[in-house]
Amino acid sequence: MSTVESRYPFSMPSGWFAVAESPDVEIGQTKAIYYFATHLVLWRDETGEAHVQDAFCPHLGAHLGHGGSVDGCQVVCPFHGWKFDGEGNNTEIPYSDRTNKKARIRSFPTLERNGFVYAWYHPNDEPPTWEVEAVADIDSDEFYGPKRWTQVVQAGIQEMGENAVDSAHFRYVHNVADVPEIIRYEPDGHRSYMESNQKFPTPRGVVNGQINSTADGPGVSIVRFNGIIDTLLVTASTPIDPNQTQTRFNFYVRSLGDEATNSSVGDAFANEVIKQFTEDMPIWEHKAHIVRPALADNDGPFMKFRRWYSQFYAGQSETETPVSVERTVFPPPYWPDKMDEVPGKGTASVKHGGSAL
Ligand code: FES
Ligand SMILES: [Fe+2]
């Protein structure tokens, strides 16, 4: 169970979540990272395998990602030189003849696909029940990329995921004249598939396009846009804690031949997606989670999405008790920094407190 209290009626889902871009952690490197409300160390051993472990050395608590080093297939603590293997076993105490068998570090299952290092998170440390699917197009010469982008959002991962099935908001949040039409939404085990039609504005007029997305659990989604030119978006969303999420986007375009064209088309595609994401942010951050939303007939498949998503909380203590009947609205905390009028804050105090001494 997370030590950070959730502002939602659910905590963090289980699944594979990106903790780094593969090129950002080199052989022999250690990194301090923080996801799943946990301080973690990410390191890559001499065989190229990446490891994600609890950050704190069981000896006296040094952070292995701050000054720790890698020796072959072991991570070395910066404080007293103890060594641990990829499974978290103590393999050496340099000033003692014996190791300490009780000194173990929690190790997260990892796998590397699609340009990301993924860690498996489960609040009860249960083992993975699937693997992230590799997207073959990424490694083919036909696709150009990736162009990378990342953003931290003060909202829970499920709330952001729900955006995918919300077709009506495109008109109001993104100023899209024709909202995408969801023609198929199909949960299938830990995956879900969605197909929609959308009109894309281009300098040469509006073009009909299709969007196909596959969610590979709650943390990974592969989105293909067809119509103008084929583009591919690999998204990775990772809970920092129950209330904040880091999203990473890797954009690819089907190569049009020369590098300059690929790059400018890729930029235009990425900029549009990033613009829309940025427009969604204030909604996500300030919205309440409504347990029983009042929906219109032709709203997207929200409840289907939520039912699919609930499998990733299975067996978690926070969600074993169903949401109380008294409480069905879960608002964000009071953030003075984000309010328009706060006594004592910048403009407000000048306006109202100008004469006060
Ligand atoms: S704290 Fe890690 S070796 Fe002492
Ligand atoms: Fe959106």
Side-chain angles (χ1 to χ4, degrees), residues 35-229:
Y35 294 107
F36 325 127
T38 307
H39 287 281
L40 301 166
V41 58
L42 165 65
W43 57 283
R44 198 185 284 286
D45 70 30
E46 67 178 5
T47 70
E49 196 182 333
H51 302 276
V52 175
Q53 296 176 315
D54 270 0
F56 301 119
C57 177
H59 178 219
L60 285 159
H63 192 306
L64 297 166
H66 286 285
S69 56
V70 175
D71 176 12
C73 288
Q74 302 159 97
V75 64
V76 187
C77 180
F79 206 178
H80 313 93
W82 290 30
K83 295 181 185 174
F84 300 89
D85 64 18
E87 279 74 55
N89 302 304
N90 175 220
T91 47
E92 190 184 327
I93 299 174
Y95 51 88
S96 166
D97 292 338
R98 289 193 297 150
T99 58
N100 185 330
K101 288 201 169 53
K102 282 198 209 126
R104 290 207 84 223
I105 310 176
R106 175 164 66 144
S107 305
F108 292 71
T110 58
L111 62 83
E112 218 156 340
R113 295 275 150 83
N114 307 331
F116 291 104
V117 178
Y118 297 108
W120 171 264
Y121 169 76
H122 190 291
N124 306 335
D125 292 333
E126 285 171 24
T129 47
W130 77 86
E131 290 204 346
V132 177
E133 206 171 1
V135 181
D137 281 340
I138 289 175
D139 296 320
S140 82
D141 293 340
E142 283 173 44
F143 276 80
Y144 172 87
K147 181 184 168 67
R148 304 173 197 276
W149 186 74
T150 184
Q151 177 70 49
V152 172
V153 180
Q154 302 300 310
I157 182 170
Q158 178 184 328
E159 289 284 273
M160 294 165 61
E162 198 167 273
N163 194 63
V165 295
D166 182 354
S167 32
H169 89 286
F170 279 83
R171 182 168 295 143
Y172 306 98
V173 179
H174 306 312
N175 277 311
V176 171
D178 296 284
V179 302
E181 186 199 353
I182 299 173
I183 51 178
R184 181 167 84 111
Y185 177 70
E186 204 177 295
D188 179 13
H190 70 272
R191 298 211 169 91
S192 71
Y193 305 96
M194 195 166 85
E195 274 174 49
S196 38
N197 291 329
Q198 187 174 4
K199 294 183 164 55
F200 294 102
T202 74
R204 283 165 285 128
V206 173
V207 174
N208 290 316
Q210 293 82 44
I211 306 174
N212 290 324
S213 60
T214 303
D216 208 347
V220 181
S221 186
I222 314 297
V223 190
R224 288 169 187 277
F225 301 79
N226 306 303
I228 319 165
I229 68 155

Side-chain angles (χ1 to χ4, degrees), residues 243-309:
N243 309 316
Q244 330 180 43
T245 305
Q246 180 171 2
T247 292
R248 294 176 171 92
F249 283 161
N250 278 1
F251 300 93
Y252 298 82
V253 292
R254 187 181 288 280
S255 182
L256 297 164
D258 72 292
E259 174 117 7
T261 313
N262 290 341
S263 166
S264 71
V265 171
D267 282 356
F269 164 54
N271 290 342
E272 180 58 28
V273 176
I274 291 166
K275 176 183 146 273
Q276 292 199 358
F277 186 94
T278 312
E279 288 166 346
D280 284 321
M281 280 179 59
I283 302 279
W284 291 328
E285 297 193 340
H286 297 291
K287 78 186 288 296
H289 176 80
I290 305 289
V291 175
R292 283 187 278 280
L295 299 173
D297 288 353
N298 47 357
D299 265 328
F302 285 89
M303 301 323 271
K304 228 171 161 183
F305 167 84
R306 290 188 183 182
R307 267 195 304 280
W308 173 75
Y309 213 95

